[in-house]
Amino acid sequence: MIERTHLLEEFVVVRAPIERVEAVMTERDPMLRWMSGAVRFEPVDGIWTFDQGTRWQLTLSGLGRLLQASYVVHERRPGLILWAFDGFWEGFDAWHWMPQQDPEHTLIQNRIEYQLRIPVIDVVWPATVGPLMGWDARVQMQRLKQVCEEQGG
């Protein structure tokens, strides 16, 4: 079977300085406000941190351990969290936030490149979960925009 690489990429420009976006992207309470309700995403050791090597667990709501993935912070620097993940899917999930010419605006990019590890899922994914995942990502980016624009301003 040929492994198929899937790509999901979303962008949003927020009216918020990069420091505020950094806080919204990394602090627990703001993150819980914008993260997708379709997933449960928790640090394995219970400590909410994004240091390189930190391990997290993703579970799709309602499916329990059936579709679960282990995430690790692969790279972390200001303006970037790059996750590597493995489980029912494997790949990379990059969150990147970049200042714009106007310091009151920040561009946020989320890019997920992945391969599905269960052949049956890979066959039905493009007509089922894939489109729902894209819709959910767009809705999540709008929540992220709202939370960024509310914080401190």
Side-chain angles (χ1 to χ4, degrees):
M1 181 173 166
I2 297 172
E3 290 189 356
R4 194 178 337 187
T5 298
H6 301 270
L7 173 66
L8 177 63
E9 188 168 33
E10 295 293 330
F11 296 88
V12 69
V13 175
V14 300
R15 183 173 174 82
I18 197 155
E19 298 81 14
R20 186 178 323 148
V21 172
E22 177 87 19
V24 169
M25 296 298 296
T26 59
E27 293 175 8
R28 185 180 187 276
D29 290 339
M31 271 189 80
L32 290 176
R33 290 186 55 215
W34 63 262
M35 284 176 44
S36 171
V39 300
R40 193 173 73 239
F41 195 59
E42 301 170 325
V44 171
D45 65 2
I47 300 170
W48 201 274
T49 182
F50 299 91
D51 296 335
Q52 190 166 336
T54 302
R55 298 197 171 279
W56 290 68
Q57 187 74 38
L58 175 129
T59 306
L60 295 180
S61 298
L63 297 175
R65 295 187 178 273
L66 178 64
L67 296 181
Q68 199 171 47
S70 297
Y71 279 60
V72 64
V73 178
H74 183 73
E75 183 178 347
R76 175 68 171 107
R77 62 179 189 262
L80 175 71
I81 299 173
L82 176 62
W83 305 93
F85 54 86
D86 189 19
F88 72 95
W89 61 355
E90 65 180 335
F92 291 93
D93 183 354
W95 283 93
H96 196 196
W97 50 101
M98 302 153 269
Q100 300 299 282
Q101 284 187 333
D102 173 355
E104 288 301 310
H105 287 86
T106 303
L107 173 69
I108 303 173
Q109 172 197 27
N110 179 220
R111 180 182 175 96
I112 305 171
E113 293 182 49
Y114 61 96
Q115 294 178 336
L116 296 162
R117 301 183 80 193
I118 304 169
V120 170
I121 292 176
D122 202 25
V123 170
V124 299
W125 192 269
T128 58
V129 179
L132 290 172
M133 190 173 145
W135 172 82
D136 188 61
R138 289 186 295 279
V139 170
Q140 178 176 261
M141 290 299 268
Q142 289 309 305
R143 280 193 309 270
L144 175 57
K145 176 180 175 72
Q146 181 180 4
V147 173
C148 284
E149 292 178 352
E150 288 174 358
Q151 295 293 317

